[in-house]
Amino acid sequence: MVTQTQSITLALDVMGGDLAPQSVLRGAEIVIKRCQQANKKPPHFLLFGDEMKITPFLDKLPLLQSFSQIGQTDKVVSNTDKPSTVIRKGRDTSMALAIQSVVDARAQAVVSAGNTGALMALAMRGMRLIDGIDRPAIAAPMPARQGGKCIVLDLGANIEASAQMLVQFAVMGGVYARHVLELENPRIGLVNVGSEDQKGSASIKEAADLLRKVPLAGDFIGFAEGYDMARGNVDVAVTDGFTGNVLLKTAEGTASLISDKFRRMRHGHIFKRLAFWLASPALAMLKHDIDPRKYNGAMFLGLNGICVKSHGGSDSTANATAIEVALNLAEHNYNQHVAQDLPKALAVLQDALVDMAAASDT
Amino acid sequence: MVTQTQSITLALDVMGGDLAPQSVLRGAEIVIKRCQQANKKPPHFLLFGDEMKITPFLDKLPLLQSFSQIGQTDKVVSNTDKPSTVIRKGRDTSMALAIQSVVDARAQAVVSAGNTGALMALAMRGMRLIDGIDRPAIAAPMPARQGGKCIVLDLGANIEASAQMLVQFAVMGGVYARHVLELENPRIGLVNVGSEDQKGSASIKEAADLLRKVPLAGDFIGFAEGYDMARGNVDVAVTDGFTGNVLLKTAEGTASLISDKFRRMRHGHIFKRLAFWLASPALAMLKHDIDPRKYNGAMFLGLNGICVKSHGGSDSTANATAIEVALNLAEHNYNQHVAQDLPKALAVLQDALVDMAAASDT
């Protein structure tokens, strides 16, 4: 479905992130190289930031130079800036200008490794919510068995989520899995503490009832438990932002615990050290397989525009992944597919809510 | 603090669990052997179940035979029985009789690998809640770095938890870490999506305010994120039962994903197979280290009595762990320590709630 001739322009907040601007610029260079290796037209980049700081690095990246132009500003959003302050006073920061370029249709997507709260606030104000979506959701992939991935949303945009919001997340997650990941019939699950119907909070039970009726870009397979994502039993895991955030960080923590266990063998008795040494090729393969940099790039879904948050500590490899996430969303016309699927889903959702209200009145 | 002369009696629901009665009986035998190896007086066991089914196995376990007696019943709680049905009709099941023996002070703790909902319902009815505790909590350890453990509660007894309940969980978890795990100053954290004060739901922010005031058997270190448990940054992680359940199962899922990644190397090209083969000693060590059977035994805290749930699929090794969890709680007089710490904590909690209500009125 990717039109190879269509030219994508990506806006980068070059000043966002702990290793900016170098890691962002080098990330973009990596993406261009990969596109060329794959015989694909590379995207064009709008680099928002301070030319004085960008140029020394850009001079060493001739490829990026020929595929980019600089949007000059010496103002930046810092990690400690409050979203409310940025909204009031941050209009000419590199982050805000990058978002504005998408609003003005000069770019198809924006990527930033800066302050998450500020990015969400600016993106919501600039791009605005898609009609019919109550709240944006943050979505990201988690590694699953058989080399698969599971998209989890929401990861923290909403501490609580109503049944209606969970249904909207399922619609948006399904469209992503079908049209961007190109899974024909993604399995969409609702995160819960058990698979039986009577489990969970009132809003989760209501969401499950609704999801059985609402048309989705995939199959609603019912409840998914904490282990179903990693086990590859579900392609899209729908949950509130509190649970999703804890879930993702628990998976990260567990993976780092296991690599720590291996590393500690190095300092054990001679058998342990030998075992560690023998295991190193396998460990290197595993490390490559579940490298968190390969899962970078949290998508802000539900906005009239594509906005991807790269991790604050991203190096160039991690930033390249986040840029590719944005590129993929743009190439696969993610938002057009949402706009296409949403009205039908929302109509059924509204009818179901009316029926439920009527049923509870009688 | 353990009085070696004190004789502990443990009640076992021998008929509970997928591999019962054999795995339960053999688990008890393992515990007796371990006690003897450690020069510790083994516990005495009350074995509730059908003598006809128990005797063939018990005949092969002479050690357990000399440290146990059978409480005869041919009634069992099945995994599909509803808690409400068991409460009404299940009085003479092996599970109910085992709990009753603790209520009657014939045993100091009960262990069952049977139906979780039924066990919780029967334990609550028989043992009743400790005065001042609103709801029971399910607690279990998770592996952490440096060979440590982190106690997480609640793991599913309460889908939602008020600020007051979270404070009670912190009191009970702290007492466990200090008096049973023998950590002098356990670090008690509240699970949240970030470490900043303004993060989280209203009830979590309120709980954090309260926890800064309420005396705990340890230090309240503020918010803990999903990765802080595995990283060993916290000894007790307090959360609602929904989040705790998803968190624990996500950690399980991630660990199984990583072992799956290794196993798949066996079927890869020759280099992968070689790497897998070389890694097997290290993998065996890791497997031993994070063997889920070593983390079996979920404690029902907040009841006037000790009740431990062993995983339904437990083999004898896993059941031995759960029995030892119960034995530890009994030996360290867990409930007496809770009874001692609770009144002061509750008094401060009530005062703080009154102050908060007054502050919000003005």
Side-chain angles (χ1 to χ4, degrees), chain A residues 330-344:
Chain A
E331 281 179 341
H332 290 84
N333 299 309
Y334 174 74
N335 277 357
Q336 282 94 311
H337 286 294
V338 172
Q340 208 170 313
D341 282 19
L342 200 58
K344 213 193 297 174

Side-chain angles (χ1 to χ4, degrees), chain B residues 8 36 60 62 80 95 98 166 184 199 230 241 266-267 273 280 302 323 339 345 348:
Chain B
I8 305 284
Q36 291 185 331
K60 292 176 209 147
T80 51
M95 188 187 276
L166 291 170
E184 202 179 337
K199 296 262 182 175
R266 261 192 312 208
H267 309 295
R273 272 181 282 164
S280 22
I323 293 168
V348 177

Side-chain angles (χ1 to χ4, degrees), chain A residues 143-213:
Chain A
R145 281 196 184 183
Q146 314 281 342
K149 281 181 183 185
C150 173
I151 293 297
V152 185
L153 76 168
D154 173 31
L155 293 172
N158 313 278
I159 290 304
E160 280 156 4
S162 65
Q164 200 165 330
M165 280 162 65
L166 291 170
V167 172
Q168 293 168 10
F169 297 170
V171 171
M172 298 193 291
V175 169
Y176 180 81
R178 174 171 289 171
H179 295 286
V180 184
L181 297 185
E182 299 181 347
L183 298 174
E184 201 179 338
N185 256 326
R187 296 157 300 164
I188 302 166
L190 188 59
V191 177
N192 201 350
V193 295
S195 51
E196 305 87 353
D197 276 358
Q198 78 278 12
K199 296 263 181 175
S201 66
S203 66
I204 285 177
K205 283 184 245 182
E206 191 188 336
D209 282 345
L210 294 169
L211 285 167
R212 286 190 196 97
K213 293 167 192 154

Side-chain angles (χ1 to χ4, degrees), chain A residues 142-148 159-160 191-194 200-202 204 225-227 229-231 239-243 245-265 269 271-272 275-276 278-279 281-283 285-286 289-290 295, chain B residues 142-148 159-160 191-194 200-202 204 225-227 229-231 239-243 245-265 269 271-272 275-276 278-279 281-283 285-286 289-290 295:
Chain A
M142 276 175 69
R145 281 196 184 183
Q146 314 281 342
I159 290 304
E160 280 156 4
V191 177
N192 201 350
V193 295
S201 66
I204 285 177
E225 299 192 58
Y227 35 60
M229 285 64 93
R231 286 189 187 161
T239 189
D240 63 86
F242 189 92
T243 308
N245 187 288
V246 172
L247 186 162
L248 188 77
K249 288 176 180 165
T250 300
E252 279 175 36
T254 308
S256 86
L257 167 71
I258 293 174
S259 61
D260 179 68
K261 293 259 176 210
F262 279 117
R263 270 196 307 273
R264 279 164 55 83
M265 288 183 193
H269 59 62
F271 292 117
K272 281 202 173 174
F276 173 80
L278 290 171
L283 290 179
M285 286 178 195
L286 177 74
D289 237 25
I290 59 165
Y295 295 87
Chain B
M142 275 176 68
R145 280 196 184 184
Q146 313 284 341
I159 290 304
E160 281 157 5
V191 177
N192 201 351
V193 294
S201 66
I204 283 176
E225 300 193 58
Y227 35 60
M229 284 66 93
R231 286 189 187 162
T239 188
D240 63 87
F242 189 91
T243 308
N245 186 288
V246 172
L247 187 163
L248 187 78
K249 288 176 181 167
T250 300
E252 280 175 36
T254 308
S256 86
L257 167 70
I258 293 174
S259 62
D260 179 68
K261 293 261 177 210
F262 279 117
R263 270 197 306 274
R264 278 165 55 83
M265 289 183 193
H269 59 63
F271 293 115
K272 282 203 173 175
F276 173 80
L278 290 171
L283 290 179
M285 287 178 197
L286 178 75
D289 237 26
I290 58 166
Y295 295 87

